[in-house]
Amino acid sequence: MTTAKDIMHPGAQWIPAHETLDRAAQLMARLDVGALPIADAQERLCGILTDRDIVVGCVALGHDPAKVTAGEMARGTPRWIAAESGVGEVLQEMQEHQIRRLPVIEGKKLVGMISEADLAQHLSDDQLAGWMEKVYARA
């Protein structure tokens, strides 16, 4: 069985909730990613920060990204998947919650992220089309 760990992009990094958005953007640029999981003081997942969040939720509103923290941008219940979960569970979680990036957790530690690009590399065209239809559907 193919697992979340098999298809994830390894080496994902947290951004601490207290870190500012300008620092988050710098880390995203250095890692060449568009999203970072946000960790609280106990290194628990408390959200996902995207490049779009920084632009639309901060800069476009006239806020200073050097003064807004990643934790302030965390909204809702963060979703994640266990490393040993099957691909079907990954797809279900992403489809059910209409999310495009999913942190992978193993032993309470972040071990990777699954993104659209990872799915495109590991799914059949039919599986990918079905996933896109459900994730991008307007509720």
Side-chain angles (χ1 to χ4, degrees):
M1 170 180 80
T2 303
T3 66
K5 192 170 186 176
D6 295 328
I7 67 169
M8 72 179 190
H9 182 83
Q13 290 187 24
W14 297 107
I15 187 79
H18 64 81
E19 198 63 77
T20 58
L21 298 185
D22 61 336
R23 300 287 178 140
Q26 292 165 4
L27 181 58
M28 285 180 187
R30 192 177 89 233
L31 297 174
D32 192 28
V33 298
L36 294 168
I38 304 169
D40 66 13
Q42 290 75 41
E43 288 196 349
R44 292 180 305 211
L45 181 66
C46 63
I48 301 280
L49 178 67
T50 67
D51 47 7
R52 187 175 195 282
D53 292 333
I54 295 169
V55 172
V56 175
C58 178
V59 176
L61 298 176
H63 301 296
D64 182 352
K67 294 181 179 171
V68 178
T69 67
E72 291 175 82
M73 299 299 290
R75 291 181 182 81
T77 302
R79 309 306 306 179
W80 57 274
I81 196 84
E84 68 274 4
S85 298
V87 172
E89 293 171 89
V90 170
L91 295 175
Q92 181 179 348
E93 184 71 16
M94 294 175 87
Q95 290 168 349
E96 186 175 315
H97 299 283
Q98 292 187 306
I99 54 177
R100 299 176 199 144
R101 297 172 180 103
L102 189 61
V104 180
I105 306 293
E106 183 175 55
K108 297 185 181 181
K109 298 283 185 195
L110 176 70
V111 294
M113 290 278 281
I114 297 174
S115 69
E116 294 169 291
D118 298 314
L119 294 178
Q121 291 178 346
H122 293 91
L123 298 180
S124 70
D125 289 345
D126 288 342
Q127 286 175 307
L128 190 58
W131 177 84
M132 290 180 73
E133 182 179 315
K134 291 179 177 130
V135 168
Y136 286 98
R138 298 280 180 209

